Amino acid sequence: MRVDKYLWAVRYFKTRSIATNACKKGHVKIGGESIKPSRNVYPTDKLEIRKNQINYQIEILDLPKSRVGAKLVNIYCNDITPKENLEKLDLLKYSQDYYRKKGAGRPTKKDRRELDDLKENAKDDIDL
């Protein structure tokens, strides 16, 4: 089975064209080597997939005939991603919450005053 079709079938990518583009960009590797989207994969192959700034590692257990449901994905692949990589995902989520939410609009007068107070306090701390 082609690697782009496999990644789409086990729901690592939403569409097959996104999986193909990821292969072309070198985000999918087998044994440390970038692979083409047309490369065949077999059971016991280990894939490394870079997606959303995280390196996922999966082991192929079996090849599905077509796209499978989310509950059946574990039959066809085993996720062997190290915990450190998954913790990076949590850190990315927390860092995005620090900034203003998209669509929140311009800062209000209250926001501006809080920023001014913060700057004054920082300036007072530096003068000491």
Side-chain angles (χ1 to χ4, degrees):
M1 174 180 270
R2 292 171 53 113
V3 69
D4 60 343
K5 190 173 181 181
Y6 177 80
L7 292 172
W8 166 77
V10 294
R11 299 183 170 267
Y12 266 87
F13 292 101
K14 190 173 184 178
T15 64
R16 198 168 150 193
S17 63
I18 295 172
T20 303
N21 289 336
C23 292
K24 287 179 181 177
K25 291 179 182 176
H27 296 295
V28 180
K29 298 179 180 183
I30 293 180
E33 292 184 21
S34 297
I35 56 174
K36 293 182 177 182
S38 61
R39 184 182 186 287
N40 285 331
V41 291
Y42 305 100
T44 69
D45 282 349
K46 290 186 169 87
L47 296 175
E48 185 176 332
I49 306 158
R50 179 139 178 97
K51 182 179 168 192
N52 298 332
Q53 300 178 358
I54 295 177
N55 292 329
Y56 294 98
Q57 295 176 358
I58 62 169
E59 181 181 6
I60 299 173
L61 300 176
D62 198 9
L63 301 175
K65 295 197 185 322
S66 63
R67 190 165 167 98
V68 296
K71 292 181 180 178
L72 302 176
V73 169
N74 293 334
I75 296 171
Y76 298 102
C77 69
N78 185 17
D79 190 2
I80 54 174
T81 306
K83 290 183 181 180
E84 297 85 32
N85 291 358
L86 297 176
E87 290 171 358
K88 288 180 187 176
L89 182 63
D90 292 336
L91 291 176
L92 284 172
K93 287 180 184 177
Y94 287 126
S95 68
Q96 290 172 352
D97 289 342
Y98 174 73
Y99 300 104
R100 289 178 63 84
K101 293 195 181 345
K102 188 171 184 175
R106 292 176 51 182
T108 62
K109 192 182 245 186
K110 182 181 177 186
D111 292 336
R112 183 184 55 81
R113 288 180 178 154
E114 288 175 354
L115 283 172
D116 290 341
D117 290 341
L118 184 66
K119 287 179 184 178
E120 286 179 18
N121 290 341
K123 195 182 291 184
D124 291 341
D125 292 340
I126 293 172
D127 291 339
L128 295 176

